[in-house]
Every structure is written in C-alpha cells, then in structure tokens.
C-alpha cells in the first residue's frame, strides 16, 4: 500500500461510499432547490420535487445542466450562496462563447485543494517534494488548484505559472523540482528544451501530473522517456471545481473520481439515457459537497467509460478512462467521426512527436482534412531520410485509423507554434457552428 493522503475515504468500501453519496445527494438537492431559482424552475418543469430524490438510484429523475445553461445564467444565476460568502472566482477561457465563471466559498476551496492533494499523493508526492507548477495561474484553474493541493501535502511549491521556458528550466535545476505539473503538450515541449540545452542530468524530476487536454498513451510514453519520469493523468473542469475531480494512481489505467464529492454517470449523448457501467458515453457530474456553485447533473461533453474493477493501488473510487474525445469538439469530416487523439496515435506510432495541427476545410460542399506534422530534429538532420516515403506511410496509417483520406504535410521542426497552455490541435475553417 502506498502513502495515502486519506486512506479511510479513498479506500472505503463501495457500500460506505454509496451511503455517503445517498446522504449527501438528498441534502444537496434540497439545498439547491431552496437556493438556486434557475434549477428549481428546471426541476418543476420536469415535475420533480426534492422529496422524489431519496438516493443515487433517483438521480436520473433530475434535469441536466449544460454549458448553455451556464451561459444563460451568467454570471450569478446558478449560485447557491450570496457573493459575500464567496472568496474566489475562476473562469474558463471562453474561446467558444461567453465565459463560464465559477464561484467558491472557503469550504469549496478547501475541498478542491484536498482533491488536488490526493492527486499529488497518488503520484508519489510527500512533504519532501518540490512541486513545480507551470499550469497557468489566474482565472484558469490549473495553477491555483495544484498550488493548493501541494500546500495541503506540505510540499515546497514553486508557483511558476506558464511561459518563459528558460526560467522554468533554471528553477527546475537550481531548486531540484521533483514533481512537474503542467499540460502534457507543455511537458513534451519542456522535455525537448531540456535536451536541447543538454541539462537532462541536472533534472531531478521523478513524476509529472499532466492534464487539462487530451493526450494519448503514446504521448505518455514519449514524455516519460524524455523527462525520465512517471507521468500521471489528472482531469477536471472549471464548472465542477477544476483539476482533481479525478486523478491517476500508480496503476495508470484510468483516473479515480473523488466519489465522496462528485457522483459520476455515463449517458448516451443523443438521448440522455443513463448507460450501464462499462459503456462509452458522455460523463455527467453531480456535486454533492459544494456550497457556492453546486451543479447537479452537469453534462461535461467528455466521452469516456467508467470502471469499478479492483485497483492494485487499493483505492476503491470508480475510475474513468481518459476522455476519448468531446461530444462537441469531435470532428465530423466527410461524415466520419474523427478524434484528434486517433491522429496523434498514428503519428507517435510512426516515430513523430505530438507536434501537429489538423486543418479541416470545405470547398464546394466537400470536406478535406490536412495534418501538418513536424519532422523530428533527428529526421531533419538525417541525409538519408526519405521524406516522401514517410509521408505516404503516414497517409496510409491515417487512412487505416480514420477510414478517410487525410492529406499529410511534413513541416520543419519547431515550425508549429508551441502552446504554454492547452495545445491548439484543430483549425476548422468550415465555421460550421456559427449563428
Ligand atoms: O482544464 C482543469 C484542469 C486543469 C484539469 C489542470 C487538469 C489539469 P477547463 O479549462 O474548464 O478545466 O477545461 C475542462 O478540459 O471538460 C476536458 O474536455 C478537458 N480536460 C481536462 N483534463 C483532461 C484530461 C481544466 N486529463 C475540459 N484529459 C474538460 C483530457 C481533459 N481532457
């Protein structure tokens, strides 16, 4: 057994977890009904009263909330507490519409920190670690969340925020950072930069906690090799608190959801019907302990699978798979569903790094997809490297994976703009979602 932060909770029996969830859900539904007029109206419209919810079995009776509801109710419409009880806001980047703003009481911040602390402990963190946080600080939840978790664990916390790669590496070497927290794409970039500077021997990292965007198993292996660490996934979203809703343990086969705070369901995104465990669908969360912004049945749009298979780490909380895409950013090209992660798998299996961009266009009602892929420095330096043969192999690998033809353009190393936060993988020129 590892060094647990809250073994009594994280390794509790399934029955015990269900008992906590039942009690908390009943209370929370009444609390939301009494304090959030927006949701009360939704419940009334569906003919549901708080008394109808007696246990988790009744959860399906409650109405869903979606990102559209959050935009509708912006900024205060889903709050359950007066502003004077709140101590913090965080927000999404708002690139696809109005920002989502989430509110926190001190109690909410404490719970969130606790969830992130569990993630750090699960990655082997202790009070003796130096936790290097280069998720963005500010409105984005990444920096503040991991920062709070690291404090709870008692580790020395380096609040680096994103950017300034030279300074990141300098602090990493001077202060002996042992746990790196950032997006996987930035971790891959840092790995490259460390090797370029030839300072890999001065790096003391042992683990990384990477999330906030989709990344594949292949990318994990790549980062683990480049940085000489074990790379752990962490998941979360602003609406539900931020990072730490779920996190990976040493088994690295999915992320344990903090079930004492969040109830997870998987639904069919088309019909809203709850699917049995093991089936792939949209992840829905109900917050059962939050005070200021307690969303019930929030549709995440993330597509994944839940599993209650026994975990070798001893934790009993249900595990979610890596999101396999989002029901709303899934690309439909020539009528075929395409997830960027499928493309990434092909690239990495053929020896490329995860430096690529997908460009989707439409001419005369016909879709086309182009994948721009960076050559690795080794490929670019190799005089015998056969570019055209490699390109053709990629086209064929993508055809096998996606079932459609994708154009491939090989570009020079470092020519695709690096991201310090979430990578921009897709440029969809079709503007299908306007108006
Ligand atoms: O990305 C919170 C976070 C910060 C998570 C740091 C992990 C680490 P948002 O900006 O609200 O919050 O974006 C939430 O990002 O619905 C997923 O689609 C995606 N996402 C988050 N974590 C993962 C992950 C933060 N580990 C949205 N794998 C979510 C794949 C992820 N996608």
């Amino acid at each position: 057994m590892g060094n647990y932060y809250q073994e009594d909770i994280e390794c509790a029996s399934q029955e015990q977890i269900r008992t906590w969830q039942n009690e908390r859900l009943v209370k929370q539904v009444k609390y939301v009904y009494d304090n959030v007029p927006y949701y009360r109206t939704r419940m009334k419209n569906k003919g549901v009263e708080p008394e109808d919810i007696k246990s988790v079995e009744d959860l399906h009776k409650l109405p869903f909330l979606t990102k559209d509801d959050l935009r509708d109710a912006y900024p205060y419409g889903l709050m359950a507490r007066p502003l004077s009880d709140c101590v913090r806001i965080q927000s999404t980047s708002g690139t696809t519409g109005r920002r989502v703003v989430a509110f926190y009481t001190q109690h909410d911040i404490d719970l969130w920190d606790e969830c992130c602390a569990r993630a750090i402990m699960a990655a082997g963190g202790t009070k003796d670690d130096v936790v290097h946080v280069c998720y963005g600080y500010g409105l984005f939840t990444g920096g503040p969340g991991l920062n709070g978790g690291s404090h709870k664990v008692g580790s020395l916390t380096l609040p680096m925020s994103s950017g300034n790669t030279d300074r990141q590496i300098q602090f990493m070497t001077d202060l002996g950072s042992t746990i790196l927290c950032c997006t996987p794409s930035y971790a891959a970039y840092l790995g490259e930069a460390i090797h370029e500077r030839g300072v890999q021997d001065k790096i003391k990292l042992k683990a990384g906690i990477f999330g906030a965007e989709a990344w594949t198993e292949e990318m994990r292996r790549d980062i683990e090799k480049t940085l000489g660490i074990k790379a752990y996934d962490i998941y979360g979203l602003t609406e539900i608190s931020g990072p730490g809703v779920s996190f990976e343990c040493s088994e690295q086969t999915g992320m344990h959801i903090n079930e004492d705070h969040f109830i997870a369901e998987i639904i069919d995104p088309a019909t809203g019907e709850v699917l049995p465990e093991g089936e792939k669908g949209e992840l829905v969360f109900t917050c059962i302990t939050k005070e200021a912004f307690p969303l019930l049945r929030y549709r995440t749009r993330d597509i994944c699978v839940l599993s209650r298979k026994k975990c070798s780490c001893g934790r009993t909380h249900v595990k979610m798979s890596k999101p396999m895409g989002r029901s709303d950013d899934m690309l439909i090209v020539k009528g075929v569903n395409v997830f960027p992660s499928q493309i990434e798998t092909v690239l990495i299996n053929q020896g490329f790094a995860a430096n690529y961009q997908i460009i989707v266009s439409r001419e005369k009602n016909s879709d086309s997809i182009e994948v721009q892929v960076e050559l690795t420095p080794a490929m670019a330096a190799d005089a015998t490297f056969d570019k055209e043969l490699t390109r053709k192999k990629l086209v064929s690998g993508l055809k096998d994976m996606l079932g459609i033809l994708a154009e491939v353009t090989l570009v020079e190393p470092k020519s695709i703009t690096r991201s310090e936060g979430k990578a921009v993988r897709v440029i969809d020129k079709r503007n299908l979602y306007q108006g």
Side-chain angles (χ1 to χ4, degrees):
M1 297 278 272
N3 180 13
Y4 289 104
Y5 180 60
Q6 291 174 317
E7 189 171 346
D8 52 334
I9 297 170
E10 294 182 71
C11 304
S13 68
Q14 301 267 337
E15 296 70 39
Q16 177 62 72
I17 294 170
R18 199 29 77 98
T19 305
W20 286 328
Q21 289 187 333
N22 288 339
E23 284 167 4
R24 290 172 188 181
L25 176 68
V26 169
K27 262 205 204 143
Q28 187 77 331
V29 170
K30 170 105 181 56
Y31 170 72
V32 171
Y33 187 89
D34 289 344
N35 293 287
V36 186
Y38 187 97
Y39 199 74
R40 182 163 62 235
T41 307
R42 299 294 296 273
M43 281 176 67
K44 283 192 164 152
N45 289 346
K46 222 182 160 218
V48 194
E49 292 296 322
E51 302 72 49
D52 298 330
I53 310 300
K54 298 191 176 67
S55 75
V56 177
E57 300 285 301
D58 298 320
L59 194 55
H60 68 97
K61 296 178 182 163
L62 289 171
F64 290 118
L65 282 172
T66 64
K67 205 157 196 152
D68 286 342
D69 288 312
L70 267 65
R71 291 191 181 120
D72 235 27
Y74 175 89
Y76 304 130
L78 285 160
M79 287 180 75
R81 280 291 173 93
L83 271 184
S84 55
D85 286 356
C86 297
V87 298
R88 177 95 67 80
I89 70 151
Q90 301 286 161
S91 174
T92 58
S93 56
T95 45
T96 53
R98 223 191 242 162
R99 275 181 181 283
V100 168
V101 177
F103 299 84
Y104 304 73
T105 61
Q106 186 57 53
H107 162 89
D108 295 333
I109 297 278
D110 289 342
L111 294 184
W112 179 24
D113 287 352
E114 189 175 293
C115 290
C116 288
R118 289 181 191 173
I120 293 171
M121 296 292 284
T126 68
K127 62 180 272 307
D128 298 323
D129 276 294
V130 180
V131 177
H132 188 112
V133 185
C134 40
Y135 285 114
Y137 279 65
L139 288 170
F140 178 54
T141 54
L146 270 304
N147 195 94
S150 173
H151 277 216
K152 267 235 147 104
V153 174
S155 313
L156 175 64
T157 313
L158 305 191
M160 300 299 300
S161 198
S162 51
N164 200 336
T165 300
D166 278 322
R167 190 179 58 189
Q168 301 281 0
I169 297 174
Q170 185 81 51
F171 270 82
M172 209 175 274
T173 52
D174 291 353
L175 297 175
S177 307
T178 53
I179 298 182
L180 176 65
C181 306
C182 60
T183 55
S185 48
Y186 193 55
Y189 178 56
L190 271 174
E192 265 178 35
I194 286 166
H195 280 266
E196 260 169 32
R197 288 160 182 74
V199 293
Q200 54 273 34
D201 293 343
K202 296 195 184 137
I203 301 292
K204 297 206 174 62
L205 290 177
K206 63 176 190 188
I209 303 177
F210 307 132
E213 64 183 4
W215 54 310
T216 55
E217 281 306 319
E218 291 80 2
M219 188 165 174
R220 185 211 301 271
R221 283 197 287 279
D222 222 38
I223 294 173
E224 289 189 330
K225 202 164 116 213
T226 319
L227 285 171
I229 60 171
K230 191 154 173 167
Y232 296 84
D233 205 348
I234 183 167
Y235 168 91
L237 57 165
T238 314
E239 297 91 314
I240 302 300
S241 63
V245 171
S246 67
F247 58 85
E248 253 181 358
C249 61
S250 51
E251 202 179 82
Q252 293 181 313
T253 54
M255 295 173 270
H256 290 285
I257 294 172
N258 282 306
E259 283 196 282
D260 48 329
H261 298 305
F262 314 108
I263 303 176
E265 297 170 277
I266 293 286
I267 62 159
D268 178 330
T271 63
E273 184 201 342
V274 180
L275 298 176
E277 189 199 312
E279 284 200 28
K280 186 163 124 183
E282 183 180 339
L283 184 60
V284 174
F285 282 116
T286 295
C287 304
I288 47 175
T289 49
K290 278 175 69 184
E291 290 181 344
F293 202 65
L295 302 187
L296 305 184
R297 294 202 94 200
Y298 182 67
R299 291 183 60 158
T300 64
R301 298 281 164 197
D302 291 313
I303 303 292
C304 57
V305 174
L306 296 181
S307 161
R308 289 201 176 270
K309 247 169 74 191
K310 197 167 189 281
C311 186
S312 62
C313 78
R315 289 178 182 78
T316 47
H317 291 201
V318 70
K319 278 203 249 186
M320 59 178 269
S321 65
K322 267 181 183 303
M324 295 151 174
R326 286 182 55 81
S327 59
D328 57 356
D329 82 0
M330 176 181 73
L331 290 162
I332 303 183
V333 184
K334 299 178 186 170
V336 173
N337 296 352
V338 174
F339 289 108
S341 58
Q342 295 174 298
I343 294 180
E344 193 177 293
T345 299
V346 174
L347 301 183
I348 295 197
N349 281 342
Q350 297 201 19
F352 289 82
N355 296 318
Y356 65 96
Q357 216 152 40
I358 302 162
I359 297 148
V360 190
S361 335
R362 176 170 288 186
E363 246 187 77
K364 292 194 189 124
N365 282 333
S366 172
D367 289 341
S368 63
I369 180 164
E370 181 199 358
V371 183
Q372 295 191 347
V373 193
E374 264 187 30
L375 293 168
T376 64
M379 291 170 184
D382 179 358
T384 63
F385 179 73
D386 190 338
K387 214 165 150 180
E388 187 50 21
L389 183 68
T390 309
R391 198 190 66 78
K392 281 189 177 149
K393 274 195 194 155
L394 273 180
V395 172
S396 141
L398 288 170
K399 177 95 203 312
D400 287 346
M401 175 67 96
L402 308 173
I404 52 168
L405 198 65
E407 262 179 57
V408 171
T409 311
L410 296 176
V411 298
E412 288 307 301
K414 304 256 171 319
S415 56
I416 293 174
T417 312
R418 295 293 191 273
S419 156
E420 286 162 359
K422 301 189 192 218
V424 181
R425 300 288 193 212
V426 180
I427 299 173
D428 195 338
K429 295 183 172 167
R430 299 173 299 177
N431 291 328
L432 297 179
Y433 301 107
Q434 281 187 343

